[in-house]
Amino acid sequence: MKIQSRWLLASVLAVALAACCCTKKSEQGKSTGYPYSQVPFTSVSLSEDSFFGQRLKAAREVTIPLAFSKCEETGRYRNFEQCLSPSPDYPPSGFPFDDTDVYKTVEGASYILQTYPDEHLKHYIDSVLDIVGAAQEKDGYLYTPRTMNPWHPHPWSGMHRWDSVEVLSHEFYNLGHMVDGAVAHYQATGSTKFLDIAKKYAECVIREIGPGEGQQVKVPGHQIAEMALARLYVVTGEKKYLDQAKFFLDTRGKTSIKDIYTQSDKPVIEQSEAWGHAVRAGYQYAGMADVAALTGDSSYIRAIDRIWKNIVERKYYLTGGVGARHQGEAFGADYELPNATAYNETCAAIAQVYLNQRMFLLHGDSKYIDCLERTLYNGVISGMSVDGGRFFYPNPLSSDGKYAFNADGTTTRQPWFGCACCPSNLCRFIPSIPGYVYAVRGDDLYVNLFADGKAMVETSKGKVGLHQETSYPWNGDVKVVIDTPVKGEMTLKLRIPGWVKGEVTPGGLYSFADGKKTSWKVSVNGEEVPSAPGADGYVSIRRKFSSGDRVELHMDMVPRTVVADEKVEDDRGRIALERGPLVYCAEWADNPSFNVHETPLGERDFSLVDDYSISNTEADGSSFKVTAIKADSKDGKSLVMIPYYAWCHRGAGDMEVWLKK
Ligand SMILES: [Zn+2]
């Protein structure tokens, strides 16, 4: 069996450009159980020239077509094809989780289909699913590293099913990504083609793994199935999936595997610190939140409350990234936050967005969205070049251009990796960004992120249509306009970000060093209204809105210097620069006469340079615009600082987030 329509970048570009944003589908199925509801990304459309609108366009036109072509080129599809006629001659190659790159790319492409209907893309996905389905064994097992060659499976897979699932085989990890991809595909197309495949594999796992007689008691070596199975329950209403997710969580720490690396050193409800592999950890905590929301198990919530505090107060980079150590791709000890050797895997940053969104949905506090925003604008999007075609696996905060921080020996963004988890994770994450802009509870509508674009939001009083006009993050002015109001009163809740209230991160791991006071103002139809946020961090405007009503938020957005807690050894005597949600850095290309590692930042006057052009010489040399910050010292020498996410588009070289004081 062959892929029917080989992926042609040019034709897809043409189709994507011609497509319009029209079809809207709401999420199907049961409630997620959370007290607050995310407004699905299908109900929110960002303007194409807005900050994240441009990212979505890059994902649609470049990242996803690139990932599909890499799946072809690197034999990911061939792995499925070889399962049709297994042979002892097939060499086990790649990683035993290579199948997930296919699932994640299908997931991202399905998200695109929900807002940009595209028959060519739909048919291409269909042909991919034909070979995926054909590789499934009769009883539902779907894992190409074994099925293609059961005599000599991949060395990480173990001789028999599940032998190595708690360590290296990733059989349950593959299930998790398969389910996520399948649900997305089902919601985009209404077709159960992928969903049926995923349910069949889930049922195989449920049959063979569990506490009953004849079953094996095993937990995932790499978490994600917990989140995915909870989602499968929400979509299908079939409780066995939720039960299996809960079994995986409740059994963790009670099987043969007990180590910090996989967060199995103790039962999940007894955990208090973030340890071990940072992606596994983040996915586990997000899964605990999902299962807690659906089952009401508050012991999970108490555990993730403790863990979240541990991360944000002790193990959190200024960029919102996590995972200090290359060794084990892992969290370090408290305050262990080296800059040049920071791991900060792109996938771990995505996991932090998942976790913080869920913490908000549980508690309704803006501090979680503050963290989500920090990670999103810095630690996540630094993982992808602005054109969408090159990726970082680790995201360090300092570089000399020589230390090879990628596992493949490179110091620049690459179009793909042997272990391609980060590019394919971005495929599915970037198109979902509009889903983080709004949330709702009853007739309270939360404006969590500031992004130019429109939305239709379901509240308890009916649908409300609204749009935002803003150039955020380049300035702090946001206008929310109600286009179609609900009958009667409702509350619009505006998040007042930590950065304008004088708080860098909750708990004080980082703090502002310049003593500046920034303020904000809120007005309704031009008349100023009280702007003190409530205990939840939001300004609440309750009224009967009419069509055309304008709520305006002005936030002072000025360059601010930041210091870290003295306990962070690597940031001692150093200072960083932020403006609004963006962390800034000094890079060689803008500062040819400086050594950015040695030049002090303190005692400078800051001024903004709007429309500062950065030439993307790593790609086609076209340029993109940012607001840079010029830092003038008394001797007339100016440093130019650019947003952290924008670094390394002009080749490897020196970069520093934490400059000398
Ligand atoms: Zn990754």
Side-chain angles (χ1 to χ4, degrees), residues 130-160:
D130 283 340
I131 58 161
V132 169
Q136 188 160 37
E137 296 188 19
K138 278 201 172 59
D139 69 351
Y141 186 75
L142 179 38
Y143 178 75
T144 67
R146 184 185 317 285
T147 303
M148 72 164 79
N149 183 350
W151 303 275
H152 308 284
H154 191 286
W156 289 16
S157 302
M159 259 324 286
H160 308 99

Side-chain angles (χ1 to χ4, degrees), residues 71-114:
C71 285
E72 287 186 30
E73 193 185 297
T74 60
R76 265 110 169 126
Y77 294 150
R78 191 182 56 233
N79 290 339
F80 289 96
E81 289 168 344
Q82 287 179 335
C83 292
L84 288 179
S85 50
S87 161
D89 298 330
Y90 290 144
S93 61
F95 289 101
F97 46 83
D98 283 353
D99 293 356
T100 64
D101 294 324
V102 176
Y103 306 148
K104 282 186 272 185
T105 311
V106 168
E107 182 181 348
S110 298
Y111 292 152
I112 295 292
L113 279 184
Q114 295 189 36

Side-chain angles (χ1 to χ4, degrees), residues 345 347 393 421-422:
E345 182 177 344
C347 290
Y393 196 119
C421 56
C422 297

Side-chain angles (χ1 to χ4, degrees), residues 320-571:
V322 295
R325 297 180 185 170
H326 281 238
Q327 179 70 37
E329 308 185 313
F331 282 101
D334 288 351
Y335 307 107
E336 178 189 338
L337 296 163
N339 292 310
T341 61
Y343 199 63
N344 281 346
E345 182 177 344
T346 303
C347 290
I350 290 173
Q352 284 302 301
V353 171
Y354 292 159
L355 174 61
N356 278 297
Q357 173 71 357
R358 285 160 168 83
M359 296 303 282
F360 166 80
L361 295 175
L362 285 170
H363 298 303
D365 194 306
S366 70
K367 68 183 178 185
Y368 302 111
I369 304 298
D370 288 351
C371 292
L372 184 155
E373 179 179 63
R374 176 171 294 278
T375 302
L376 182 60
Y377 276 95
N378 303 287
V380 170
I381 60 169
S382 61
M384 178 170 128
S385 60
V386 292
D387 56 290
R390 300 168 81 87
F391 312 95
F392 275 145
Y393 196 119
N395 293 272
L397 280 74
S398 170
S399 174
D400 62 3
K402 299 181 196 91
Y403 169 70
F405 49 79
N406 288 323
D408 58 4
T410 55
T411 52
T412 53
R413 291 185 185 86
Q414 296 297 307
W416 196 248
F417 301 102
C419 172
C421 56
C422 297
S424 59
N425 225 357
L426 286 162
C427 281
R428 72 188 194 125
F429 178 75
I430 298 289
S432 76
I433 288 175
Y436 297 97
V437 178
Y438 300 101
V440 86
R441 182 177 192 173
D443 61 9
D444 291 347
L445 194 166
Y446 289 77
V447 180
N448 276 341
L449 298 181
F450 308 119
D452 197 275
K454 55 185 198 267
M456 185 60 81
V457 178
E458 191 79 55
T459 71
S460 62
K461 296 240 172 88
K463 281 189 172 153
V464 53
L466 74 163
H467 71 269
Q468 281 189 50
E469 295 171 23
T470 181
S471 306
Y472 197 87
W474 306 122
N475 71 43
D477 291 305
V478 180
K479 188 193 285 184
V480 180
V481 181
I482 303 296
D483 298 315
T484 46
V486 294
K487 283 205 175 76
E489 290 191 337
M490 63 162 274
T491 304
L492 191 73
K493 299 195 61 122
L494 289 176
R495 180 175 65 98
I496 306 301
W499 60 258
V500 74
K501 293 185 291 195
E503 180 185 86
V504 181
T505 51
L509 179 59
Y510 303 103
S511 51
F512 288 119
D514 52 20
K516 288 180 191 166
K517 287 262 177 294
T518 52
S519 65
W520 64 95
K521 276 193 302 217
V522 180
S523 64
V524 178
N525 296 330
E527 286 201 19
E528 208 170 320
V529 297
S531 61
D536 61 0
Y538 291 84
V539 168
S540 300
I541 298 159
R542 183 157 188 89
R543 57 185 274 139
K544 187 180 178 319
F545 286 97
S546 307
S547 179
D549 276 356
R550 310 183 314 275
V551 176
E552 282 164 284
L553 171 63
H554 164 80
M555 296 173 279
D556 295 341
M557 191 187 269
V558 296
R560 303 286 316 261
T561 52
V562 171
V563 289
D565 188 307
E566 276 295 303
K567 296 189 199 78
V568 183
E569 203 182 319
D570 293 86
D571 298 342

